[in-house]
Amino acid sequence: MKKLCVFTISFLLMTFSLFLCSLTGPSCFWRIQNNEDNDGDLHRDCGFFLFTSEEPIKEDFYHFCIDFRIPARRYEVFLVMFFATDEINRNPYLLPNMSLIFCLIVGMCGDTLGYLEETHSPNNTWNSINYNCEIRPICDIELTGPSWTTSVKLAINSRKPKVFFGPFNSHLSDHDQFPYIYQVATKDTHLSHGMVSLMLHFRWTWIGLVISDDDQSIQFLSDLREAMQRHGICLAFVNMIPENMQIYMTRGKIYDKQIMTSSAKVVIIYGEMNSTLEVSFRRWAYLCARRIWITTSQWDVITNKRDFSFDFFHGTVTFAHHNGEIVIFRNFLQTVNTSKYPLDISQTMQEWNYFNCSISKNSNSKMDHFTFNNTLEWTALQKLNMVLSEEGYNLYNAVYAVAHTYHELILQQVEFQKMAEPKGIFTDCQQVASLLKTRVFTNPVGELVNMKHRENQCADYDIFNIWNFPQGLGLRVKIGSYYPCFPQNQQLHISEDLEWATGGTSPQVPTSMCSVTCTAGFRKIHQKQTADCCFDCAHCPENEVSNETDMEQCVRCPDDKYANLEQTHCLQRAVSFLAYEDPLGMALGCMALCFSALTLLVFFTFVKYKDTPIVKANNRILSYILLISLVFCFLCSLLFIGHPNQATCILQQTTFGVFFTVAISTVLAKTITVVMAFKLTAPGRRVRGMLVAGAPNLAIPICTLIQIVLCGIWLVTSPPFIGRDTKSEHGKTILICNKGSVIAFHFVLGYLGSLALGSFTVAFLARNLPDRFNEAKFLTFSMLMFCSVWITFLPVYHSTRGKAMVVVEVFSILASSAALLGFIFVPKCYVILVKSDSNFREKYKNKFHY
């Protein structure tokens, strides 16, 4: 009765535990915790002894040695061991007349018996070997993997040489700490560079990273971050998964939230299998975290999902060292002798591995075993993946490394005639380790294997994608390669022929970016306190272009080109200037010619009527000089029209300055003459003599000489030159004459202004003097108009650009010249031509003589 109560209580406790597990995690997590196959590192990993014998292998030896269910995840390991030892035993040049045999290390690789009992009958041929995997005193080489922690555990208090066939681990390279552990895998020297190249190919710039919290993963993080920074790729987050399960359980939800909420669609996984990192990976798959997982080849066995999708880019992309294909391995699988090798595999575990979470945890059915008549049933699931995994290939090389070591030891035994030890039995572990670490050989595939140097600087990588075909079959498909020692633009090769795997359609590559790509015509503006990959897009500034995506800075177009409307490339500018063909240029040119002709007409009129009182009364010589200077003032405006060159640019300002100085100084001489004539009250005085001698006329050469000196200084210091205005009109280059020295230009204008102001002042004072033909009023009005034009010119000139500046200057020249012509000479012409009867001096005919 007591036993029944105890049994009932135990059953209820177990049922309650199962119920709690169903609430706290999916069935996949329950299977991870199932210690039927995962009872500690020793049960998850595989370990073998390799030894030699002069006797042939008994037909049923491996049936006796491996008398337990082989885990599905380790099925390949046993196939490689069977194949490699069989291939070596058939080789007459390697270990001739000897048999290479393997046996499991106690309790590893699912050996639930815990050890191999020595139950041979007295007539068993193996009794003569007296072999027991646990207590054999001789020095056989052990093979362990894929977890490096297993090798470390087995190395404690052991001097037996060990070959680790898992991924290369930097811890095991410390021969001071682990003098008897050797690695056969190639070091991942360029793994981070290969992953970064893949990201650049698909333009993934926003990447998540999940690693184990150990030294090797931290070193990988450092290498990856350095490679990313060189190519503008950013880490969205970095999750370092603690190795301690209790610590992990307290942070698990934080890691889940980070993965599920991050905008990064590509996540790199790096670390040890059979760890809390694997638990996290399985949990994210259960939470339907649709990401592109980039990782190493050891992770390709846990990515199989029951749901099937043709979505190429939502799965696992793995990097594996490129290994030669063992062609005869397929033949071995199809022709293997099942009576010699135990090929029993649990159908239940087969379903777990390939159909993922398909077994009901409430099933009470017994785990039945079945035996394949051959491996065709297993290889049917792997028919497109007959190449060995990287782990299997490392194990294959490890077996050959041991065989070559034993071969050399046996040769030394024969050479030195060590008959005290049986042939193939080795007791000196130091000697065995010394020979093992120096083995250099070429495997049957043709690859050179050097046990002393496993850091291959030019190790190539194959890139695989795990496809989830119907019912969750995990299929490794090679999608590309990475060759680190090729030129940079040839290192990564991605297969473009993937239509067979995508149902005849091209795969849509998802984006993984923090910010939307800045298209051509835009530039990046980085946000404060964010990663470099997070930015805003802004239009390029005026006349700058960007013809690529995600450009940091736009490129300014050359002066002779301009940016198109999209600001993606530069177009050739059209050259423009104030030409005679332009309506405005033609109008100004015609005005200049017309005013010049009109001035000449006035000049000839004055010459014709030179003896009339009105011409004589207003100092005809000064009138002639003024009219001639006005003709040149009108004509100098033509220098501003047409294609500019160096000569016209120099002549524009100098002729303008000199001829206007002559005109204004002539007006000044006229006003001085009028004032001196009418202010004389004592005839015979010296002033009268000066007036008769023409002293006021000296103002013309003096003032002109000063202007010539100013223009000369201008031309010597900073002469005008041809300038190009690219900002006034879009798509055009305006050719204009640059003033050179702006100060000199304003000095010339200022000097003209001072002369005009002086003439205006003197004329204004003489405006009311009595005389029928007194022109002081006309001079006053002409100077007033002249000053008004040029005062208005300055602000208008400086507020315009391009051809408008030339038009303003030409118009000011014409307007000011026309003001002088109109206000001074038009009234006189009117009198001469229309009112000829008043053209006499009645009252003052004897008073003044000119």
Side-chain angles (χ1 to χ4, degrees):
M1 187 65 182
K2 290 182 178 181
K3 292 182 178 180
L4 180 61
C5 291
V6 171
F7 177 78
T8 303
I9 294 173
S10 301
F11 178 77
L12 291 175
L13 288 173
M14 291 177 63
T15 304
F16 181 70
S17 300
L18 289 173
F19 176 73
L20 286 179
C21 287
S22 66
L23 293 177
T24 57
S27 57
C28 286
F29 288 95
W30 170 243
R31 291 192 185 96
I32 291 175
Q33 299 168 8
N34 182 2
N35 60 9
E36 187 168 16
D37 284 322
N38 300 308
D39 187 15
D41 290 336
L42 295 180
H43 281 183
R44 286 192 293 263
D45 287 354
C46 284
F48 306 94
F49 282 106
L50 282 170
F51 61 94
T52 58
S53 173
E54 295 183 89
E55 300 290 336
I57 302 176
K58 192 175 179 64
E59 186 73 16
D60 62 345
F61 172 75
Y62 286 115
H63 284 276
F64 163 77
C65 186
I66 308 174
D67 188 17
F68 59 90
R69 177 177 52 81
I70 300 175
R73 287 177 59 180
R74 294 292 169 251
Y75 200 60
E76 183 191 36
V77 173
F78 282 88
L79 286 175
V80 172
M81 292 300 297
F82 293 146
F83 168 70
T85 54
D86 182 77
E87 187 179 40
I88 292 171
N89 291 333
R90 293 173 183 270
N91 189 344
Y93 303 104
L94 186 60
L95 294 176
N97 301 321
M98 301 291 291
S99 296
L100 183 64
I101 310 166
F102 74 88
C103 185
L104 266 71
I105 298 177
V106 172
M108 295 192 65
C109 209
D111 177 15
T112 56
L113 297 178
Y115 61 91
L116 296 177
E117 298 181 3
E118 191 176 3
T119 57
H120 305 289
S121 60
N123 58 354
N124 194 323
T125 56
W126 293 103
N127 279 338
S128 59
I129 300 176
N130 191 28
Y131 184 83
N132 183 285
C133 290
E134 177 69 17
I135 61 174
R136 191 179 183 198
I138 61 178
C139 193
D140 295 325
I141 300 176
E142 300 174 357
L143 305 181
T144 59
S147 174
W148 69 277
T149 55
T150 301
S151 297
V152 173
K153 290 179 182 179
L154 294 176
I156 299 175
N157 299 324
S158 173
R159 298 186 61 189
K160 288 187 177 183
K162 296 170 181 58
V163 179
F164 175 65
F165 60 84
F168 188 92
N169 190 282
S170 57
H171 292 89
L172 302 182
S173 298
D174 186 359
H175 292 295
D176 294 332
Q177 187 176 1
F178 306 109
Y180 296 103
I181 299 180
Y182 307 96
Q183 301 186 77
V184 72
T186 305
K187 185 177 181 180
D188 288 323
T189 311
H190 295 281
L191 177 62
S192 58
H193 299 279
M195 291 183 173
V196 169
S197 297
L198 183 70
M199 299 170 200
L200 291 175
H201 178 81
F202 292 113
R203 299 181 180 179
W204 296 329
T205 58
W206 191 236
I207 309 297
L209 178 63
V210 183
I211 61 175
S212 299
D213 190 4
D214 55 52
D215 294 340
Q216 182 163 327
S217 298
I218 294 174
Q219 180 60 47
F220 172 77
L221 169 61
S222 177
D223 296 339
L224 183 68
R225 179 170 283 163
E226 180 180 351
M228 283 182 167
Q229 288 176 349
R230 286 200 302 267
H231 296 91
I233 302 175
C234 304
L235 287 172
F237 61 87
V238 178
N239 283 347
M240 301 180 65
I241 307 299
E243 296 179 338
N244 185 281
M245 179 59 77
Q246 293 181 347
I247 298 177
Y248 167 75
M249 293 301 293
T250 61
R251 306 175 183 173
K253 291 185 178 180
I254 299 176
Y255 302 139
D256 295 344
K257 183 178 180 181
Q258 182 73 71
I259 287 287
M260 300 303 295
T261 59
S262 175
S263 59
K265 303 302 180 184
V266 178
V267 179
I268 296 175
I269 304 291
Y270 186 86
E272 284 287 329
M273 291 276 291
N274 305 321
S275 63
T276 52
L277 182 59
E278 180 179 344
V279 175
S280 297
F281 189 84
R282 289 179 180 272
R283 178 166 179 80
W284 297 331
Y286 172 75
L287 294 174
C288 297
R290 294 178 61 80
R291 299 291 185 272
I292 303 169
W293 311 100
I294 301 178
T295 183
T296 54
S297 60
Q298 60 178 317
W299 290 85
D300 62 5
V301 297
I302 67 165
T303 57
N304 310 311
K305 298 176 67 177
R306 185 172 183 82
D307 60 306
F308 170 62
S309 172
F310 273 121
D311 191 351
F312 172 79
F313 280 102
H314 285 94
T316 303
V317 178
T318 62
F319 278 74
H321 288 287
H322 176 74
N323 299 318
E325 182 179 358
I326 307 175
V327 179
I328 61 175
F329 181 60
R330 176 191 290 270
N331 298 331
F332 173 80
L333 295 179
Q334 295 176 347
T335 62
V336 64
N337 185 1
T338 57
S339 64
K340 182 177 180 181
Y341 300 112
L343 296 174
D344 296 343
I345 186 172
S346 167
Q347 184 179 7
T348 302
M349 291 305 295
Q350 181 77 354
E351 291 290 321
W352 179 85
N353 192 43
Y354 292 105
F355 298 93
N356 207 18
C357 303
S358 62
I359 306 171
S360 172
K361 59 181 176 289
N362 296 323
S363 175
N364 294 322
S365 62
K366 182 179 178 180
M367 300 183 96
D368 297 327
H369 291 68
F370 65 90
T371 303
F372 290 139
N373 293 326
N374 54 48
T375 57
L376 289 177
E377 293 182 51
W378 181 77
T379 56
L381 299 176
Q382 302 283 337
K383 61 183 179 180
L384 296 178
N385 190 24
M386 297 302 295
V387 180
L388 284 178
S389 67
E390 186 174 5
E391 180 184 296
Y393 189 80
N394 291 338
L395 179 59
Y396 179 75
N397 282 337
V399 175
Y400 266 89
V402 175
H404 280 278
T405 302
Y406 285 165
H407 184 85
E408 182 64 26
L409 288 169
I410 292 173
L411 290 179
Q412 290 184 8
Q413 282 183 337
V414 175
E415 181 180 356
F416 296 105
Q417 298 181 354
K418 295 181 179 180
M419 303 309 296
E421 296 179 355
K423 185 179 179 180
I425 303 299
F426 318 109
T427 58
D428 189 352
C429 288
Q430 186 67 38
Q431 181 189 17
V432 175
S434 177
L435 286 174
L436 176 61
K437 73 178 181 180
T438 58
R439 287 306 86 203
V440 179
F441 61 93
T442 302
N443 64 12
V445 181
E447 178 190 353
L448 181 66
V449 180
N450 188 340
M451 293 297 293
K452 192 171 185 179
H453 300 286
R454 299 308 296 156
E455 186 172 340
N456 187 354
Q457 295 295 337
C458 288
D460 299 335
Y461 288 89
D462 290 332
I463 306 173
F464 296 93
N465 184 239
I466 310 302
W467 279 86
N468 297 317
F469 274 71
Q471 294 182 324
L473 170 62
L475 180 66
R476 274 202 327 165
V477 179
K478 183 178 177 179
I479 62 171
S481 302
Y482 177 71
Y483 307 101
C485 290
F486 280 23
Q488 187 171 2
N489 59 346
Q490 301 176 12
Q491 290 178 344
L492 183 70
H493 172 72
I494 299 297
S495 175
E496 297 179 357
D497 187 17
L498 294 174
E499 292 188 0
W500 65 272
T502 58
T505 60
S506 299
Q508 296 296 322
V509 183
T511 59
S512 184
M513 298 181 292
C514 178
S515 301
V516 179
T517 300
C518 291
T519 58
F522 291 81
R523 64 185 177 95
K524 296 194 293 186
I525 299 179
H526 292 281
Q527 304 170 4
K528 294 183 179 180
Q529 298 180 345
T530 58
D532 291 339
C533 298
C534 300
F535 50 82
D536 296 324
C537 297
H539 277 286
C540 289
E542 184 180 358
N543 206 38
E544 293 187 9
V545 297
S546 63
N547 54 7
E548 297 178 2
T549 59
D550 289 339
M551 289 192 66
E552 295 286 346
Q553 295 294 334
C554 299
V555 180
R556 178 171 290 278
C557 291
D559 291 341
D560 59 340
K561 295 183 178 181
Y562 69 100
N564 62 340
L565 294 178
E566 294 78 15
Q567 293 185 282
T568 56
H569 58 277
C570 297
L571 302 176
Q572 190 69 37
R573 289 182 181 272
V575 178
S576 179
F577 51 87
L578 185 60
Y580 290 106
E581 293 79 7
D582 294 341
L584 196 56
M586 185 179 297
L588 292 175
C590 291
M591 288 175 62
L593 293 176
C594 291
F595 279 121
S596 299
L598 181 62
T599 305
L600 288 174
L601 183 62
V602 173
F603 174 76
F604 289 122
T605 301
F606 268 57
V607 171
K608 183 178 179 181
Y609 297 98
K610 61 181 179 181
D611 295 325
T612 60
I614 193 170
V615 175
K616 294 173 65 176
N618 291 285
N619 198 332
R620 57 188 174 189
I621 300 299
L622 292 179
S623 297
Y624 295 158
I625 295 174
L626 180 57
L627 287 171
I628 294 173
S629 64
L630 286 177
V631 171
F632 284 104
C633 287
F634 285 122
L635 292 178
C636 77
S637 64
L638 298 178
L639 295 173
F640 292 83
I641 306 173
H643 194 293
N645 53 59
Q646 189 65 32
T648 56
C649 286
I650 293 175
L651 290 175
Q652 281 179 6
Q653 307 304 327
T654 54
T655 56
F656 157 73
V658 171
F659 289 131
F660 263 84
T661 301
V662 173
I664 300 303
S665 61
T666 302
V667 173
L668 179 62
K670 275 180 167 288
T671 56
I672 293 175
T673 300
V674 172
V675 171
M676 291 180 65
F678 282 97
K679 289 295 182 181
L680 293 178
T681 57
R685 293 181 57 183
R686 183 179 299 178
V687 176
R688 180 179 177 85
M690 293 174 60
L691 181 63
V692 173
N697 296 347
L698 294 176
I700 299 173
I702 294 173
C703 295
T704 305
L705 183 61
I706 294 174
Q707 185 70 288
I708 291 174
V709 171
L710 290 176
C711 290
I713 296 173
W714 183 5
L715 295 180
V716 171
T717 55
S718 181
F721 58 90
I722 301 175
R724 288 173 172 81
D725 182 6
T726 58
K727 298 181 179 180
S728 299
E729 296 185 34
H730 181 71
K732 291 184 179 181
T733 298
I734 310 298
L735 296 181
I736 56 175
C737 288
N738 193 295
K739 298 297 185 290
S741 175
V742 178
I743 297 176
F745 173 69
H746 286 89
F747 260 107
V748 170
L749 286 183
Y751 180 69
L752 285 175
S754 63
L755 289 178
L757 184 61
S759 300
F760 171 77
T761 303
V762 175
F764 181 79
L765 295 175
R767 70 187 185 282
N768 294 322
L769 294 176
D771 185 11
R772 182 176 181 81
F773 302 116
N774 182 14
E775 61 178 352
K777 292 182 180 180
F778 302 125
L779 296 176
T780 303
F781 281 113
S782 64
M783 287 297 98
L784 180 62
M785 290 301 301
F786 184 91
C787 293
S788 300
V789 168
W790 288 104
I791 290 174
T792 307
F793 162 79
L794 289 175
V796 175
Y797 181 81
H798 288 291
S799 63
T800 55
R801 292 288 183 271
K803 290 189 291 185
M805 295 179 66
V806 182
V807 172
V808 168
E809 189 167 1
V810 171
F811 183 79
S812 299
I813 292 173
L814 296 177
S816 57
S817 301
L820 294 178
L821 178 65
F823 283 100
I824 295 176
F825 294 102
V826 169
K828 294 181 176 63
C829 291
Y830 176 79
V831 172
I832 293 173
L833 299 176
V834 178
K835 290 189 175 184
S836 56
D837 57 332
S838 61
N839 187 12
F840 62 90
R841 293 185 302 169
E842 178 179 350
K843 185 176 180 179
Y844 304 102
K845 59 180 179 180
N846 296 321
K847 188 173 183 178
F848 296 107
H849 299 280
Y850 296 95

